[in-house]
């Protein structure tokens, strides 16, 4: 791809939706229809970007691009261990050129406990980016972001991509990431949302999701760097940790928490809606609609 995403901040918008339920490869025809309908509504609501979470395939990404008309589409994230750079570049090159300009390849190194071949993640990412540059056609810096948490990966994100898409981070991390990236690189953190005004119940829902991530050293090491302790990881997460990582409450609270990330230096915030009944795996269209109405013109 020769052209870059133009006006990066404007192309992403201020607020997007992150969802792990947008994988056409994992559902039947009815599921693909439901995804297409949900994507059409997200565009109508005015969200700037849709992030395909849960380690999508390049083909999943192509399907979302094909099902949308104007919204920016990004992977959040594609694991560099699951697909070679050549495979990713070939799948992206097959997307209609007009629509391809809206696509951003979000890349990450995943986690050692989840990847048998995990080794030297930083070097592996550098090699992957080199291969994307060399591919024909290439997927250059203007069409990719990195799932960066620590200083080295943040620096790489600023130098070799549009910027960073950190997951499961606090506003304090956002401020530190902005300083590490510099003023020009994109910073688009994910923020998980539980739309539930019963705070105890909302925290229970959040802990159900957070427990898995607290078994992954990349996240726990990052949280320890931010001043949390091993005690904060017990029982699915302390109240202090939950309140720092999640937006728990009504749509107005989510709007304020999103503003906190933007004020800390984010250009864009990707909202992941977590629901108790769906375990985060469904298409919570009513919640997306409620949030869209709360943000209004701020999207």
């Amino acid at each position: 791809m020769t052209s870059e995403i133009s006006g990066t901040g404007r192309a992403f918008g201020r607020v997007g939706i992150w969802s792990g339920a947008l994988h056409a490869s994992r559902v039947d025809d009815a599921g693909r229809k439901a995804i297409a309908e949900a994507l059409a509504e997200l565009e109508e609501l005015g969200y700037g970007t849709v992030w395909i979470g849960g380690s999508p395939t390049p083909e999943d990404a192509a399907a979302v691009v094909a099902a949308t008309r104007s919204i920016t589409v990004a992977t959040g994230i594609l694991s560099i261990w699951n697909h070679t750079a050549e495979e990713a570049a070939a799948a992206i090159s097959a997307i209609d050129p007009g629509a391809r300009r809206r696509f951003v390849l979000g890349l990450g190194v995943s986690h050692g406990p989840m990847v048998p071949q995990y080794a030297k993640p930083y070097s592996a990412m550098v090699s992957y980016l080199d291969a994307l540059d060399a591919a024909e056609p290439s997927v250059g810096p203007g069409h990719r972001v990195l799932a960066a948490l620590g200083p080295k990966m943040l620096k790489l994100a600023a130098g070799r991509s549009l910027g960073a898409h950190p997951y499961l981070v606090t506003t304090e991390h956002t401020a530190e990431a902005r300083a590490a990236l510099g003023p020009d690189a994109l910073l688009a953190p994910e923020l998980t949302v539980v739309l539930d005004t019963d705070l105890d119940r909302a925290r229970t829902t959040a802990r159900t999701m957070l427990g898995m991530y607290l078994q992954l050293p990349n996240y726990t090491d990052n949280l320890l760097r931010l001043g949390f302790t091993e005690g904060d990881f017990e029982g699915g997460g302390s109240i202090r940790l939950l309140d720092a990582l999640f937006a728990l409450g009504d749509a107005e609270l989510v709007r304020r928490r999103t503003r906190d990330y933007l004020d800390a230096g984010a250009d864009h915030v990707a909202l992941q809606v977590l629901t108790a009944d769906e375990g985060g795996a469904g298409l919570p269209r009513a919640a997306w609609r409620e949030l869209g109405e709360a943000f209004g013109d701020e999207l």
Side-chain angles (χ1 to χ4, degrees):
M1 292 186 288
T2 56
S3 62
E4 298 187 353
I5 291 284
S6 60
T8 301
R10 294 191 302 276
F12 280 80
R14 300 289 268 175
V15 182
I17 290 295
W18 190 106
S19 173
L22 302 174
H23 298 238
S25 63
R26 300 180 188 176
V27 295
D28 57 15
D29 287 344
R32 285 186 282 274
K33 180 181 179 182
I35 289 172
E37 291 173 350
L39 290 169
E41 184 170 19
L42 288 177
E43 284 196 292
E44 184 179 345
L45 288 168
Y47 289 104
T49 302
V50 57
W51 296 84
I52 312 167
S55 297
T57 67
E59 292 73 23
D60 289 329
V64 173
V65 174
T68 54
R69 297 175 300 168
S70 58
I71 197 170
T72 298
V73 176
T75 52
I77 52 78
L78 183 141
S79 171
I80 65 171
W81 310 104
N82 291 346
H83 311 277
T84 68
E86 292 76 14
E87 289 170 347
I92 294 166
S93 70
I95 299 172
D96 177 80
R100 198 187 307 155
R101 292 176 295 182
R102 298 186 284 109
F103 177 69
V104 177
L105 181 64
L107 297 168
V109 296
S110 190
H111 307 273
M114 301 173 68
V115 179
Q117 68 270 40
Y118 192 88
K120 297 182 178 179
Y122 180 85
S123 297
M125 179 61 81
V126 171
S127 297
Y128 200 95
L129 296 176
D130 290 343
L132 286 176
D133 288 341
E136 185 56 45
S138 66
V139 182
H143 278 279
R144 60 198 190 205
V145 297
L146 305 188
L149 291 175
K152 284 183 65 177
M153 199 65 80
L154 285 165
K155 184 176 180 181
L156 184 66
R160 301 287 305 272
S161 77
L162 288 170
H165 174 50
Y167 186 92
L168 204 67
V169 293
T170 64
T171 54
E172 290 76 16
H173 181 275
T174 297
E176 293 179 8
R178 172 50 67 202
L181 289 167
D184 299 325
L186 175 77
L187 179 54
E190 174 271 348
L191 172 62
T192 302
V193 170
V194 180
L195 282 177
D196 191 339
T197 55
D198 183 323
L199 196 52
D200 289 338
R201 189 170 57 201
R203 286 172 176 155
T204 297
T205 300
R207 285 190 176 103
T208 300
M209 173 264 206
L210 184 59
M212 179 190 74
Y213 292 104
L214 293 180
Q215 301 175 48
L216 302 175
N218 288 358
Y219 290 124
T220 54
D221 289 349
N222 188 56
L223 293 169
L224 291 171
R225 283 195 297 267
L226 291 167
F228 294 98
T229 69
E230 295 285 351
D232 286 305
F233 305 153
E234 296 175 0
S238 67
I239 289 177
R240 178 172 80 119
L241 182 61
L242 293 172
D243 290 348
L245 291 176
F246 293 82
L248 308 174
D250 61 14
E252 177 57 28
L253 180 140
V254 174
R255 191 185 68 80
R256 292 197 304 269
R257 290 281 285 130
T258 300
R259 171 54 59 187
D260 290 342
Y261 283 81
L262 295 170
D263 288 345
D267 299 294
H268 169 94
V269 178
L271 301 178
Q272 176 182 186
V273 174
L274 187 66
T275 59
D277 57 329
E278 295 169 342
L283 296 167
R285 292 175 60 179
W288 293 344
R289 196 175 305 124
E290 183 178 351
L291 290 171
E293 292 170 354
F295 279 97
D297 293 340
E298 295 179 54
L299 295 178

